[in-house]
Amino acid sequence: LTATGQAVTLSSQGAVLDGDTGTDDVDITATSLTVTATGLGSASNTLEVALDTLTATVGTGGVYLLETNALLVSALTSGGAVSLSTQGGSGQNLSIASLTAIGQAVTLSSQGAVLDGDTGSDNVDITAASVAVTAASVGNSADSLDTDVASLSGVLGTGGLHLANAGALQIPSLASSRS
């Protein structure tokens, strides 16, 4: 689906799935994508997208997206696990304004940073059971990523970790190349 420069809205009583098995074809190109479905992509076949902004409400099928550049998650509610990845280099950040996956695992991967998408606010950006992150950095010294999670693990680059959690936090594994 190619709608360059346009907003796309998809609604399905089932899941919105990738029609091919490769990761080299972009499945949806648009400025923004709004989705209501039981799932978005699958654990075995990620949906490849080229978007600026994602808004979604999905059921227990969860969310499995690979973004070719930077992505702002403006509002995402999922009844299942969430896996979001950005590619395209160090400046291609994954920004989260609101991601809610109560009782679920969230996996975030970015060649750039994972940032607070509602800059300047202390609103909770991620609510989930756990977050696993691989990125150059999480948050920044001016605006931490605000979370409400029980567990955090990850591998970070030299940008470090700037996170404010709303409760007790277990860190089973966290590595950073920052000295």
Side-chain angles (χ1 to χ4, degrees):
L1 172 63
T2 302
T4 304
Q6 301 296 313
V8 171
T9 300
L10 301 174
S11 181
S12 173
Q13 292 189 11
V16 176
L17 300 172
D18 189 336
D20 61 40
T21 57
T23 59
D24 57 343
D25 296 325
V26 175
D27 302 306
I28 300 173
T29 300
T31 299
S32 66
L33 176 64
T34 301
V35 177
T36 302
T38 60
L40 188 55
S42 69
S44 62
N45 195 4
T46 301
L47 193 66
E48 296 85 27
V49 297
L51 310 169
D52 293 335
T53 305
L54 172 68
T55 303
T57 301
V58 299
T60 58
V63 177
Y64 302 89
L65 288 184
L66 173 63
E67 165 62 43
T68 59
N69 295 297
L71 178 65
L72 168 62
V73 177
S74 63
L76 170 60
T77 301
S78 177
V82 174
S83 176
L84 300 172
S85 298
T86 60
Q87 295 182 331
S90 62
Q92 304 305 324
N93 301 324
L94 176 56
S95 299
I96 311 289
S98 176
L99 190 163
T100 303
I102 295 173
Q104 301 296 322
V106 171
T107 303
L108 306 173
S109 176
S110 177
Q111 291 178 343
V114 175
L115 299 172
D116 183 336
D118 57 353
T119 305
S121 139
D122 289 333
N123 295 334
V124 173
D125 305 308
I126 301 173
T127 301
S130 64
V131 172
V133 61
T134 302
S137 63
V138 171
N140 59 49
S141 59
D143 197 6
S144 63
L145 187 68
D146 303 302
T147 61
D148 186 354
V149 300
S151 176
L152 172 72
S153 61
V155 177
L156 304 174
T158 57
L161 174 67
H162 304 272
L163 183 125
N165 195 61
L169 180 63
Q170 292 182 342
I171 303 176
S173 171
L174 187 63
S176 173
S177 58
R178 185 174 186 168
S179 51

